Amino acid sequence: MSELTFHDVSVHFGTSRHRLIAVDHVNLTVGSAGILGLVGESGSGKSTLARAAVGLAPITTGTITLGGKPVPMKGKNRPLAMIFQDPSASLDPRMSVGDSIWEAGRGAHGGEDKQSTITHLLSLVHLDPKHAKSYPGQLSGGQRQRVAIARALAGKPQVIIADEITSSLDVSSQGAILNLVRELVDELALTMLFISHNLAVVRYVSTRFAVMYSGRIVEEGETSAIIDTPSHEYTRQLLAAIPGGSS
């Protein structure tokens, strides 16, 4: 796996007279084989940064590189895959689960057998292979998010970006998905940028995280170090918001 690096990245929307600065000169590196958490409230710019990485938001300034080379924004087999907050946004309701997973891999499957590949990917996310014939509307929210994760894995990306993937789920499903993320990262040596507004969630899945506020990275470091001695007032506020957290 290669490092994903944001070099002085800014994303602006609107005109020069009415400009919204969503991301403001961000420098951030997602190291290989592990989870970097990115936490911030709604509107902090974290999701815009994620969308910029996969070519869904235009970069105003700066560069995004993977292994020192610009991230390709076109082509079938992109090295970055994104999992969205609402799996319904990425799953075609008219396509079966199996076909959806197979389609997401496109040319990455090579000479692999379709059914075996789908079965393997469903097993990785702890879904019964029989669900290959199901449609998204027949699944629960947690099951649909597992399918979305399987779709992300199907393309064999170098980096996965998970954007608020538990925020639309009930509490029990959230915990199951978070445990699955940790398991997959360890088992497959995945590289992941995990984005959430919930510091408790980021603390649970990542050994290192960054805090984003008003489009900027205001704090970054080892999870344990930031939790013990946060240096920015905004981070202290996020910690205080956790039940049983710091005051």
Side-chain angles (χ1 to χ4, degrees), residues 95-99 115 118 122 128-136 138-139:
M95 187 177 288
S96 71
V97 164
D99 286 342
Q115 192 56 51
I118 293 170
L122 287 174
D128 192 311
K130 70 180 182 182
H131 285 305
K133 296 181 180 180
S134 300
Y135 288 84
Q138 298 173 306
L139 305 178

Side-chain angles (χ1 to χ4, degrees), residues 216-238:
R216 291 177 174 267
I217 301 296
V218 296
E219 188 156 9
E220 180 186 359
E222 297 297 322
T223 298
S224 58
I226 296 179
I227 296 299
D228 290 341
T229 56
S231 63
H232 197 275
E233 175 59 26
Y234 179 62
T235 308
R236 289 191 283 271
Q237 292 175 12
L238 291 175

Side-chain angles (χ1 to χ4, degrees), residues 69-87:
K69 298 179 180 179
V71 176
M73 300 300 178
K74 298 181 180 180
K76 290 185 177 181
N77 299 323
R78 299 187 189 180
L80 270 63
M82 189 163 173
I83 308 169
F84 295 91
Q85 174 180 340
D86 181 5

Side-chain angles (χ1 to χ4, degrees), residues 22-216:
V23 176
D24 191 9
H25 298 286
V26 164
N27 291 284
L28 186 67
T29 296
V30 184
S32 298
I35 300 175
L36 175 71
L38 181 61
V39 66
E41 62 188 347
S42 178
S44 63
K46 58 191 188 302
S47 291
T48 300
L49 186 68
R51 293 172 69 85
V54 296
L56 295 177
I59 300 172
T60 305
T61 64
T63 58
I64 303 175
T65 61
L66 184 63
K69 298 179 180 179
V71 176
M73 300 300 178
K74 298 181 180 180
K76 290 185 177 181
N77 299 323
R78 299 187 189 180
L80 270 63
M82 189 163 173
I83 308 169
F84 295 91
Q85 174 180 340
D86 181 5
S88 299
S90 58
L91 299 178
D92 187 337
R94 301 163 298 179
M95 187 177 288
S96 71
V97 164
D99 286 342
S100 182
I101 291 173
W102 181 256
E103 185 272 341
R106 299 176 187 173
H109 301 303
E112 299 172 9
D113 176 72
K114 178 179 179 179
Q115 192 56 51
S116 297
T117 299
I118 293 170
T119 297
H120 172 65
L121 288 165
L122 287 174
S123 298
L124 281 177
V125 298
H126 302 306
L127 279 179
D128 192 311
K130 70 180 182 182
H131 285 305
K133 296 181 180 180
S134 300
Y135 288 84
Q138 298 173 306
L139 305 178
S140 68
Q143 289 174 326
R144 286 194 293 269
Q145 197 59 283
R146 289 174 187 271
V147 174
I149 294 171
R151 276 175 51 87
L153 294 173
K156 301 179 181 178
Q158 295 182 50
V159 179
I160 292 177
I161 298 175
D163 186 18
E164 297 277 12
I165 64 172
T166 62
S167 62
S168 65
L169 304 177
D170 60 57
V171 174
S172 62
S173 295
Q174 285 181 16
I177 292 296
L178 292 176
N179 287 332
L180 175 63
V181 165
R182 290 177 55 166
E183 175 187 315
L184 290 173
V185 168
D186 289 342
E187 183 178 330
L188 304 178
L190 297 176
T191 298
M192 180 178 288
L193 175 60
F194 187 97
I195 298 169
S196 178
H197 67 279
N198 189 331
L199 182 50
V201 167
V202 170
R203 179 176 63 179
Y204 181 71
V205 298
S206 65
T207 56
R208 186 177 184 86
F209 75 91
V211 180
M212 199 164 185
Y213 177 69
S214 294
R216 291 177 174 267

